Structures are given as structure tokens and as C-alpha cells.
């Protein structure tokens, strides 16, 4: 991922970080993840099947990977005009999800949303690495993802009984527009290609790439089907409530992981976070109890954004320009995840979570090898 400078008017305090967080709430929390709580509603309305839902989700993740790679190859493309165009496309793609059409239509719309959300993500996340942004900026900025997720859960929970799933897509588009307003005041400048350097210990670097790819592969299964699984067991209200738990946990976790990374090595914390996320996949696979669902939602929300932050920190210690290949591997994993579990989706989602648990277990073990390799060097 390229680094994009955001130059805002000189404002004291944390206002610029909060504005960037609002952008991530729009692009990621709503733009990408509102599909999760709306998926079971669309399935219940016979708009799509669970199998169709997995393929549509894959289109969104492919779009995100495409957008991230495009800005990596051509960082000069990322100027204010491209940013505003991406914002408009994201809003329009959400609103058009309410329109009728063949399955290819929502798949194309989610592909477009993926590209647009990647453009916005690169711009807003770049603020966290901006010189002078402050030690807490990363926690605040990335916390916006959880904030957006929580809002999507609240939105669906409050409005589902009185409006259709089509109207919920329109409301989501309006929410995205509102959240993007603070970001439009920031001065978006073209990024610079980061020079590539030699990795400190090539085996360790390759192990990190594998671990992060496996994280993208495993976490996206939980992120895509968690609400659908709870909704199938306990109804759509419970499903939406679980998604609120995920968002609330993600909102506060980024600051906590940032604080922990100042006390312990990010390389030491990464396998811990992955092991915790493994638990969030195991619980819904082995138990349909409410306590298991709530615990899994909290643990998943408390780890998936933190893992992104930690992996980027570890990668930066190993080589220059680590973000781009890490993001590519993560994006590739997200594309393969829904496709991998699509054949086992039916009356139960347990098999999908079992697969996710196996993948995340392998990711935690591989991250442990990264920690050991860094200590040796």
C-alpha cells in the first residue's frame, strides 16, 4: 500500500485523526461491511442464496485488492479528484444495491465498492503514518472501522422491523455520505512510491507474508458469515446485535493494541492476536449457545483490526515498502475465503467456521515462527 499524504488545515488536538477515522468508518465499516448484516435479510427475501452471497462478497474483496494494487503501481493517480470520484462511486454502488437485476448486477456493484473503499482507505490510513500525527493517531484512525461496523449493526437492528432490505441499502448509502463529509475537507495529495529494500531475514519475511495471507483467508469467513450464522440460529435481531458487539469491540481495540505495542514487541503480540481470533472461529463452530456467540463476536471485533496494525508494524521492521505486498496477500486471502467455504454452506455455517479455525490456527503458528525468527536475528 502506498503512503498518501493528507495535509489538513492546522488544527490542534485530534480533529484530523477523527476526520480520517470517519473516512474509514464510511469506506470500511459501512462501505465494505454493511453487506454482512444485510446478507441474511437478502437471503430471507429470496433475493440471493447463501452461495450467491459468498460469490458477491468475493467480488467486493477482489475490487478492494484491485484498488490497492492500482494505487501501489500508480500512486500519482491518487489525487483529490480520484478520491472524490471514489467517494461518489461508493455511495452510488450502495444505493443501487436496492435495484432489481440478475445476480451479476450486485456482484459488479460490490466490485466497484471494493475499488472505491480501497482508494478511501489508502488516503485515510495514510494519516496514521504522517509525521507529527501523534502516537495515538493509529488507534484513533483505525478505530473508525469498528465505529462504522457498530453503526451498521445499530442501523439494521433499529430499522429492520419497519423497512425493507432495499431501504436499508439506501439508508446505508446516506450514512456513508454523512461519514465522508469530514474527510472531504482534507487535502489529498498524490503518494510517492516507497523504495524497496532487502528484507531482514528473508525466511522471516516470507513467513510473515504467509501468516498475513492466512489471516485474510480465515478472518473474512467470520466477517462475512457471522451475522448470517447467528440469524439462522436466533433470528435477525440477535444477528444484528452480534454485529454491534463486533463493531464496539473493534472501536476500542485499536487503541488498546497500540498501547500494548509500546510495551511489548508487535512481533510478540501478533501470534497472540491470531490465537485469540482462532477462538472466535472455534466457538461458533462447536456451540450454538448465546454466550459463545457473544464471546466470539467480542473476540473477533477485538482482534481483526489490531492484527492489521500489528502486521504492518512487523513488516516495517523487516523491509522497506512492506505494506504493499502485505496488503496484496491479505486481499488475495479475502478473495479466496468465501469461495473456499461456499461449497459447505447450506443449512448450517459450522463447517465454514471449522475451516476458518484451521486456517487461523496455521496463521498463528506461522506468526509464532516470525517472532522466533526476529528474536534470532
Amino acid at each position: 500500500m502506498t503512503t498518501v499524504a493528507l495535509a489538513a488545515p492546522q488544527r490542534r488536538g485530534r480533529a484530523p485523526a477523527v476526520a480520517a477515522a470517519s473516512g474509514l468508518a464510511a469506506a470500511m465499516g459501512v462501505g465494505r461491511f454493511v453487506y454482512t448484516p444485510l446478507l441474511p435479510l437478502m437471503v430471507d427475501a429470496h433475493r440471493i442464496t447463501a452461495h450467491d452471497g459468498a460469490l458477491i462478497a468475493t467480488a467486493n474483496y477482489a475490487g478492494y485488492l484491485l484498488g490497492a494494487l492500482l494505487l501501489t503501481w500508480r500512486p500519482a493517480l491518487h489525487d483529490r479528484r480520484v478520491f472524490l470520484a471514489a467517494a461518489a462511486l461508493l455511495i452510488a454502488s450502495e444505493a443501487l444495491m436496492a435495484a432489481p437485476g440478475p445476480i451479476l448486477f450486485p456482484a459488479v456493484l460490490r466490485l466497484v465498492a471494493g475499488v472505491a473503499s480501497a482508494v478511501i482507505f489508502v488516503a485515510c490510513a495514510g494519516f496514521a503514518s504522517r509525521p507529527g500525527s501523534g502516537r495515538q493517531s493509529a488507534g484513533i484512525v483505525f478505530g473508525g472501522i469498528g465505529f462504522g461496523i457498530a453503526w451498521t449493526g445499530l442501523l439494521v437492528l433499529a430499522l429492520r422491523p419497519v423497512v425493507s432490505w432495499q431501504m436499508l441499502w439506501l439508508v446505508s448509502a446516506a450514512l456513508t455520505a454523512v461519514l465522508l463529509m469530514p474527510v472531504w475537507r482534507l487535502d489529498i495529495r498524490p503518494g510517492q512510491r516507497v523504495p524497496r529494500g532487502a528484507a531482514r531475514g528473508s525466511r522471516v519475511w516470507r513467513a510473515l507474508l504467509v501468516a498475513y495471507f492466512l489471516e485474510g483467508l480465515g478472518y473474512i469467513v467470520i466477517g462475512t458469515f457471522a451475522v448470517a450464522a447467528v440469524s439462522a440460529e436466533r433470528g435477525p435481531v440477535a444477528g444484528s446485535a452480534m454485529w454491534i458487539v463486533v463493531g464496539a469491540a473493534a472501536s476500542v481495540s485499536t487503541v488498546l493494541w497500540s498501547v500494548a505495542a509500546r510495551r511489548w514487541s508487535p512481533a510478540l503480540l501478533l501470534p497472540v492476536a491470531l490465537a485469540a481470533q482462532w477462538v472466535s472461529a472455534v466457538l461458533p463452530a462447536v456451540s450454538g449457545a448465546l454466550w459463545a456467540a457473544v464471546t466470539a463476536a467480542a473476540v473477533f471485533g477485538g482482534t481483526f483490526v489490531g492484527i492489521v496494525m500489528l502486521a504492518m508494524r512487523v513488516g516495517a521492521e523487516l523491509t522497506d515498502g512492506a505494506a504493499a505486498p502485505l496488503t496484496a496477500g491479505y486481499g488475495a486471502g479475502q478473495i479466496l475465503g468465501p469461495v473456499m467455504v461456499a461449497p459447505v454452506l447450506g443449512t448450517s455455517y459450522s463447517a465454514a467456521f471449522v475451516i476458518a479455525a484451521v486456517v487461523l490456527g496455521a496463521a498463528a503458528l506461522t506468526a509464532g515462527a516470525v517472532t522466533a525468527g526476529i528474536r534470532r536475528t
Side-chain angles (χ1 to χ4, degrees):
M1 186 179 299
T2 55
T3 301
V4 177
L6 296 182
Q10 295 298 321
R11 291 173 287 180
R12 295 185 180 275
R14 297 175 178 175
V18 172
S22 183
L24 288 189
M28 308 298 289
V30 182
R32 291 194 73 201
F33 287 114
V34 72
Y35 180 71
T36 299
L38 289 181
L39 172 60
L41 302 186
M42 297 173 71
V43 172
D44 289 344
H46 303 292
R47 173 65 176 93
I48 58 175
T49 66
H51 183 269
D52 293 335
L55 297 180
I56 293 170
T58 298
N60 181 250
Y61 309 141
Y64 181 78
L65 175 61
L66 177 62
L69 290 176
L70 181 62
L71 292 178
T72 298
W73 295 329
R74 298 288 300 276
L77 286 176
H78 199 291
D79 57 19
R80 185 168 184 79
R81 290 177 300 175
V82 173
F83 178 85
L84 293 178
L89 283 173
L90 181 62
I91 296 168
S93 68
E94 292 175 27
L96 288 172
M97 285 291 290
I103 297 303
L104 180 62
F105 183 60
V108 171
L109 290 176
R110 295 308 290 161
L111 177 73
V112 171
V115 175
S117 63
V119 172
I120 299 169
F121 176 87
V122 169
C124 296
F127 176 82
S129 59
R130 177 183 169 189
S133 60
R135 295 189 304 173
Q136 295 292 337
S137 288
I140 295 172
V141 172
F142 284 95
I145 299 175
F147 177 79
I149 288 174
W151 265 104
T152 62
L154 287 169
L155 181 151
V156 175
L157 183 64
L159 298 182
R160 185 198 64 80
V162 294
V163 301
S164 65
W165 63 267
Q166 292 97 327
M167 182 58 67
L168 284 170
W169 273 113
L170 295 176
V171 174
S172 299
L175 176 60
T176 300
V178 170
L179 290 171
L180 283 171
M181 286 180 181
V183 191
W184 290 9
R185 293 195 296 266
L186 296 173
D187 181 19
I188 312 298
R189 297 178 181 177
Q192 300 295 324
R193 188 177 297 276
V194 181
R196 182 174 298 178
R200 192 190 74 196
S202 58
R203 290 185 179 179
V204 177
W205 168 240
R206 288 197 297 268
L208 179 62
L209 286 173
V210 172
Y212 202 51
F213 164 78
L214 292 172
E215 158 62 6
L217 186 65
Y219 110 91
I220 203 61
V221 174
I222 308 172
T224 302
F225 300 110
V227 172
V230 175
S231 297
E233 290 282 339
R234 299 181 176 276
V237 174
S240 298
M242 290 305 102
W243 196 237
I244 295 172
V245 173
V246 170
S251 297
V252 300
S253 70
T254 52
V255 174
L256 297 178
W257 284 113
S258 295
V259 172
R262 291 201 297 270
R263 181 171 183 180
W264 297 286
S265 165
L268 181 63
L269 292 172
L270 183 59
V272 173
L274 284 164
Q277 194 175 97
W278 172 82
V279 173
S280 72
V282 170
L283 285 175
V286 301
S287 175
L290 181 60
W291 69 267
V294 174
T295 303
V299 174
F300 175 69
T303 55
F304 82 95
V305 183
I307 289 170
V308 173
M309 295 173 57
L310 293 171
M312 293 297 172
R313 289 276 299 273
V314 175
E317 294 176 1
L318 293 173
T319 184
D320 295 332
L326 284 173
T327 300
Y330 190 76
Q334 289 183 117
I335 294 172
L336 294 176
V339 175
M340 178 180 63
V341 302
V344 303
L345 294 176
T347 58
S348 173
Y349 291 90
S350 296
F353 293 129
V354 169
I355 294 172
V358 172
V359 171
L360 291 172
L365 292 174
T366 308
V370 172
T371 306
I374 290 177
R375 286 184 172 181
R376 285 196 300 270
T377 57

